Amino acid sequence: MPNPIIAVILMAAAAYIPRVVPLITVTKEIDNIYIKSFLKYVPFAVLGSLTFPDIFYSTGEFITALCGTAIALFLAYKEKSLVVVALAAILTVYITSFLI
Amino acid sequence: MEINMILSNNKDFKYGLKRGMPIAFGYIPVAITFGLMAVSGGLSPWLAVFISLSNLTSAGQFAGTNLIIQGAGYLEITMTTLIINIRYMLMSLSLSQKIDPEISLKQRLIFGFGITDETFSVASVEKGRLSYSYMIGLIIGPIIGWTLGTAIGATISSALPPALGNAMGIALYAMFIAIIIPPAKKSKPIFIIIIISILITILLKYISIFGFISSGFRVIIATVIAAAIGAAIWPINPENDC
């Protein structure tokens, strides 16, 4: 079995390098409007892709995850804070897990 | 002049700190989940905390830690986490356009460590240029929240009811929802781009010929296609926002 400390250091490098390479290599402003627009839309596309459909598998039970997702969507639509949305989703999943 | 600059930097730092707080609190339940998983898989609580502090990733370190627990080789662990984390390059590239161009190389190397899905999302919706002080303020809370949450999860692992542990699995995703829904409500292009990205992810995940594509690459492919379609149809107006 590999040494866990070495494995973790390798993981840390795999997390750090992608974060800093563009920051230190692209120091000029990009003036192409399409590239600018693309970069503006990236965060929304990334988070959408990270969230769906994986959120439905996040609790080990599809129904409870569905209820938690619905509550999260509703509260996010009402523009509640990150903490409120996250805690309400956890609570919803927790409660519904006893009802099914 | 000099004093004014220091004051404004201090203000930026405090503002960043304030903006990072909800992320820090949102991270705690997710990090507790991570701590639970690592320790129940046989890793020491100290190692779990070290993973969170040195990696500061969600999906990447969950996957990497699972591989460590399974006894996978260094190459597989490194490649898997790298593929999942490649998306940070897009975020870092996006931030390179948003930060104060005067920020030095050393400062870029420091604050770059704190780029996560959430700090990036919060930073990228700020108005105007981002200063180094703002970025440092923004990342401190989340780093502490992530590390502290892991320590809590790693130490209470046996005391926590499994139902609550399972419920915490949704926290990370709920946080993502809280970040993307308000802008999607106000902007039709953003809403449609999110939908396109999700549809591509679903296609890649469930159609068996795409089965060879890992989850990290699914995110990259969906993001690049959706954001490119968005940029082609709705290029931003350089006068009003960027």
Side-chain angles (χ1 to χ4, degrees), chain B residues 2 9 33 75 77 81 97 109 113 115 117 127 135-137 140 142 144 146 158 177 216 230:
Chain B
E2 190 73 0
N9 284 351
T33 316
L75 186 67
I77 293 170
T81 49
Q97 299 300 301
L109 287 171
F113 174 77
I115 299 173
D117 299 317
K127 295 264 180 283
M135 290 305 299
I136 292 297
I140 284 181
I144 295 172
W146 189 241
S158 50
I177 287 178

Side-chain angles (χ1 to χ4, degrees), chain A residues 40-41 44, chain B residues 180-197 226 229-231 233-235 241:
Chain A
K40 186 198 157 195
Y41 293 135
F44 304 104
Chain B
I180 59 176
I181 296 298
K185 210 171 100 179
K186 291 173 198 112
S187 156
K188 193 178 126 201
I190 289 176
F191 176 75
I192 296 172
I193 288 160
I194 293 170
I195 298 295
I196 293 171
S197 178
I229 292 173
I233 305 178
W234 302 284
D241 63 355

Side-chain angles (χ1 to χ4, degrees), chain B residues 17-107:
Chain B
L17 211 55
K18 193 181 131 208
R19 296 284 283 162
M21 278 307 134
I23 305 175
F25 286 108
Y27 275 177
I28 290 175
V30 183
I32 290 177
T33 316
F34 174 75
L36 287 173
M37 182 206 98
V39 171
S40 64
L43 302 185
S44 79
W46 286 112
L47 188 67
V49 171
F50 177 58
I51 293 173
S52 285
L53 187 59
S54 62
N55 280 245
L56 195 71
T57 62
S58 51
Q61 77 181 56
F62 270 91
T65 303
N66 262 324
L67 289 173
I68 294 177
I69 292 169
Q70 291 160 22
Y74 294 132
L75 186 67
E76 189 183 357
I77 293 170
T78 310
M79 289 315 291
T80 304
T81 49
L82 189 63
I83 287 165
I84 295 173
N85 293 333
I86 282 282
R87 70 178 186 282
Y88 291 130
M89 290 190 85
L90 289 175
M91 301 184 194
S92 171
L93 181 62
S94 178
L95 279 182
S96 75
Q97 299 300 301
K98 178 95 181 139
I99 56 172
D100 178 356
E102 301 298 310
I103 297 179
S104 71
L105 175 70
K106 197 175 122 196
Q107 291 174 328

Side-chain angles (χ1 to χ4, degrees), chain A residues 1-24 26-31 33-55 57-60 64-69 72-73 76-83 85-87 89-91 93-94 97-98, chain B residues 22-23 25 29 47 50-51 54-57 61 64 68 72 74 77-78 81-82 85 87-94 96-97 105 108-109 111-113 115 117 120-121 129 163-164 166-167 169-171 173-183 185-186 190 193-194 197-198 201 205-206 219 222-224 227-228 230-231 234-236 238 241:
Chain A
M1 179 169 166
N3 180 335
I5 302 279
I6 295 172
V8 172
I9 291 167
L10 290 170
M11 281 163 60
Y16 182 66
I17 292 166
R19 284 168 166 155
V20 292
V21 166
L23 273 184
I24 59 178
V26 186
T27 52
K28 290 213 180 66
E29 174 152 7
I30 297 170
D31 49 19
I33 189 173
Y34 293 101
I35 297 177
K36 280 182 118 156
S37 310
F38 174 83
L39 294 175
K40 186 198 157 195
Y41 293 135
V42 160
F44 304 104
V46 168
L47 294 183
S49 172
L50 280 173
T51 308
F52 295 98
D54 287 1
I55 191 170
Y57 303 98
S58 66
T59 67
T64 62
L66 195 65
C67 295
T69 306
L73 284 171
Y77 190 79
K78 295 279 173 199
E79 309 203 10
K80 302 294 178 201
S81 74
L82 294 185
V83 184
V85 174
L87 291 180
I90 293 172
L91 199 65
V93 171
Y94 183 64
S97 71
F98 293 107
Chain B
I23 305 175
F25 286 108
L47 188 67
F50 177 58
I51 293 173
S54 62
N55 280 245
L56 195 71
T57 62
Q61 77 181 56
I68 294 177
Y74 294 132
I77 293 170
T78 310
T81 49
L82 189 63
N85 293 333
R87 70 178 186 282
Y88 291 130
M89 290 190 85
L90 289 175
M91 301 184 194
S92 171
L93 181 62
S94 178
S96 75
Q97 299 300 301
L105 175 70
R108 287 167 194 248
L109 287 171
F111 87 77
F113 174 77
I115 299 173
D117 299 317
F120 164 69
S121 307
R129 293 281 173 187
L164 193 55
N166 284 341
I170 202 168
Y173 301 100
M175 220 159 54
F176 292 159
I177 287 178
I179 293 170
I180 59 176
I181 296 298
K185 210 171 100 179
K186 291 173 198 112
I190 289 176
I193 288 160
I194 293 170
S197 178
I198 293 170
T201 309
K205 188 177 169 90
Y206 296 108
V219 172
T223 299
V224 169
W234 302 284
I236 51 167
D241 63 355

